[in-house]
Amino acid sequence: MPTFRAPRGTRDLLPHETPRWTRLARLADELAARYGYRRIETPMLEQAAVFERGVGEATDIVEKELFRIAPRTEESESWALRPEPTAGIVRAYVQHGMQTWPQPVKLTMIGPMFRYDRPQAGRYRQFWQFDVEAIGDPGPAVDAEIIELGSRFYADAGLGGVEVLLNSIGDPACRPAYVTGLTSYYRDRADDLPPLERDRLGRNVLRLLDSKDPAMAAVNATAPKITDHLCDACAEHLESVRAHLDALGVSYRLEPGLVRGLDYYTRTAFEFYAHGREGQQQALGGGGRYDGLVELLGGRPTPGIGFGIGLDRLILALEERHGAASVAELSSAAPVAVVVGANPDDTVTRLRIATELRGAGIAARAELGQRRLGKQLDSAAREHAHFAVILGDELANGQVGLRDLQAGTQRAVPLADLARELKRASESHHHGLA
Ligand code: AMP
């Protein structure tokens, strides 16, 4: 056992694993930009109250999973690591007066989130999310646009067949009566409820509907459905979201048990699932409308909608289909050229020439060990470099040897032309670094 290990529920992403992450992050960035979302970065920690209000005190995320930072001094504020991005982004929207910008303000972010959850497959204490938020648009068209964006992200990432689950959770006009009805439904069955769920009955009854406790499945199956209790405005909103999704060719399934159980979440709620995994409580991503949140964090009443797509689970799903990255994939980072030399001691010249090549934009490495030329060439071939730049006696005349390690050919090249030659040769060989 090593003395130190990464904290439970966190992982190191090793060099052969990171290319997949980079690819997804780039894809997310490009896609969001094409849809008009601009990048925002908020701190990984906020005042804890931002999450207590912005996520809700009676949620698992705040009640059980918030990573709180111990105050350093008596007067220091109470901070927490962000468990999700929306609350921090809405805090920034209010703080920077974004309500005076042209609306909606469309923002995107990719970064790590932290939840003190019980670690298991697909559930980590530090995980990554791709997030988009459209603040200042009441919908319903933008709701469909955002859902389509999420679906396209999975398809472009190579995960076909992702299912969209859709619901409406009403608004302050219709939800209170539904909540009262739902509360009495559960009260009548209080003996069948696990203790935590019973405890939440009076505080956040909607949360019981999407409880992860298997003991709740039977009780929930026959619970009253919010979609049967929507006011006209909310019912129309849902109908219109559906019509827009149909027009965009996005298929979805209505799921009346899908909730975001807080007062300031309103209307549209949705989740993305890998096909055939809907029952496993492991959504690939989710989002919804939060028309009450800006006001709750101190701004003027402003509607908003967004989603958070988990990248860890997406990568797991992709690996299930296409296989995991192996250490062998490290070869994709091979240098184009390795500078080797007949005089083992002359590391100065080797390093200087490699540095010049790098300055010219070429991925180059110098052999810095003091080994014989043969050994230097062996190591260049082993790491799948395309070319060896060989420094020998001709260096005195400004010439070096350029060996194509893959073709086995070699010719003399003036040092002054080396960078140009390497660029041309590596382009015509379609070296994998492009
Ligand atoms: P949520 O805010 O809980 O709806 O989470 C949004 C998405 O983030 C989920 O659908 C997951 O893909 C991802 N996610 C949430 N919690 C975790 C976790 N503990 N580990 C890995 N991914 C997570």
Side-chain angles (χ1 to χ4, degrees):
M1 278 282 274
T3 313
F4 295 113
R5 305 173 64 87
R8 195 163 121 81
T10 72
R11 293 167 302 155
D12 300 307
L13 297 175
L14 301 181
H16 60 284
E17 298 170 307
T18 49
R20 293 191 168 179
W21 290 79
T22 311
R23 183 181 77 87
L24 284 187
R26 196 174 296 151
L27 185 69
D29 228 23
E30 279 170 13
L31 198 59
R34 218 184 302 158
Y35 282 66
Y37 290 82
R38 293 189 297 162
R39 187 88 171 252
I40 185 170
E41 292 291 339
T42 63
M44 283 185 217
L45 63 163
E46 297 272 353
Q47 289 171 270
V50 169
F51 305 122
E52 285 155 2
R53 286 208 208 172
V55 178
E57 293 194 80
T59 56
D60 279 352
I61 292 182
V62 169
E63 216 165 50
K64 298 193 295 187
E65 298 167 6
L66 203 59
F67 263 98
R68 292 175 184 278
I69 296 174
R72 291 196 72 95
T73 61
E74 265 170 29
E75 66 273 22
S76 66
E77 288 183 83
S78 162
W79 290 308
L81 295 180
R82 63 184 181 201
E84 59 87 55
T86 311
I89 291 177
V90 168
R91 190 267 312 137
Y93 177 92
V94 174
Q95 178 180 340
H96 301 287
M98 293 189 212
Q99 59 269 33
T100 66
W101 299 8
Q103 306 290 300
V105 177
K106 294 162 86 178
L107 302 170
T108 183
M109 186 162 91
I110 300 169
M113 307 296 148
F114 305 85
R115 294 184 196 176
Y116 194 77
D117 210 343
R118 194 158 44 83
Q120 51 186 281
R123 182 156 309 181
Y124 308 107
R125 288 182 172 173
Q126 177 179 336
F127 58 96
W128 286 67
Q129 274 192 6
F130 162 38
D131 182 80
V132 304
E133 310 288 347
I135 309 177
D137 186 330
V142 72
D143 304 30
E145 185 184 49
I146 273 197
I147 294 171
E148 194 273 336
L149 165 53
S151 305
R152 184 183 299 274
F153 175 65
Y154 292 114
D156 288 0
L159 194 71
V162 167
E163 247 207 308
V164 178
L165 271 50
L166 177 71
N167 195 24
S168 171
I169 55 164
D171 70 4
C174 54
R175 195 166 42 217
Y178 170 71
V179 166
T180 307
L182 191 64
T183 307
S184 55
Y185 170 84
Y186 283 120
R187 284 214 198 289
D188 291 346
R189 290 157 187 79
D191 293 344
D192 302 336
L193 303 180
L196 177 70
E197 311 297 344
R198 207 179 308 146
D199 178 50
R200 276 188 183 162
L201 242 182
R203 290 184 294 144
N204 187 3
V205 68
L206 284 178
R207 215 66 217 182
L208 272 64
L209 275 181
D210 73 347
S211 164
K212 297 193 167 60
D213 194 322
M216 293 295 290
V219 194
N220 282 344
T222 54
K225 294 183 180 14
I226 177 102
T227 35
D228 296 332
H229 297 82
L230 295 177
C231 59
D232 289 348
C234 285
E236 261 170 46
H237 190 101
L238 178 60
E239 276 317 300
S240 182
V241 173
R242 298 180 63 179
H244 283 85
L245 286 174
D246 292 341
L248 298 179
V250 176
S251 51
Y252 60 89
R253 189 153 58 77
L254 275 186
E255 176 48 66
L258 173 64
V259 291
R260 307 226 138 205
L262 291 154
D263 291 348
Y264 36 88
Y265 284 112
T266 47
R267 297 187 170 169
T268 310
F270 56 93
E271 277 181 341
F272 300 102
Y273 279 88
H275 185 66
R277 306 198 122 218
E278 299 80 5
Q280 307 207 353
Q281 300 287 3
Q282 290 241 331
L284 285 173
R289 183 159 277 292
Y290 45 83
D291 292 348
L293 183 55
V294 177
E295 189 178 11
L296 200 89
L297 292 180
R300 285 205 303 265
T302 309
I305 184 166
F307 69 57
I309 281 181
L311 296 184
D312 305 73
R313 284 183 197 168
L314 173 55
I315 285 187
L316 282 176
L318 286 169
E319 286 182 345
E320 239 168 65
R321 286 195 201 175
H322 307 297
S326 67
V327 175
E329 286 177 42
L330 273 179
S331 63
S332 67
V336 172
V338 177
V339 183
V340 299
N343 175 1
D345 295 332
D346 190 3
T347 51
V348 167
T349 311
R350 293 201 290 277
L351 183 56
R352 181 172 54 75
I353 291 176
T355 304
E356 282 164 13
L357 292 175
R358 290 164 177 164
I362 295 163
R365 176 177 79 77
E367 174 61 45
L368 298 181
Q370 289 158 3
R371 303 186 278 186
R372 286 187 297 110
L373 179 59
K375 293 263 188 240
Q376 298 180 36
L377 283 167
D378 285 350
S379 94
R382 248 199 323 276
E383 68 176 318
H384 305 289
H386 206 135
F387 298 97
V389 174
I390 306 174
L391 313 186
D393 295 340
E394 328 81 81
L395 195 57
N397 309 321
Q399 301 263 320
V400 299
L402 182 59
R403 182 179 297 185
D404 185 326
L405 293 166
Q406 290 171 19
T409 53
Q410 182 170 335
R411 62 203 163 86
V413 171
L415 188 54
D417 297 343
L418 181 62
R420 201 169 343 118
E421 283 285 321
L422 271 174
K423 265 201 182 142
R424 202 167 49 81
S426 65
E427 273 157 22
S428 69
H429 279 87
H430 301 291
H431 192 277
L433 288 186

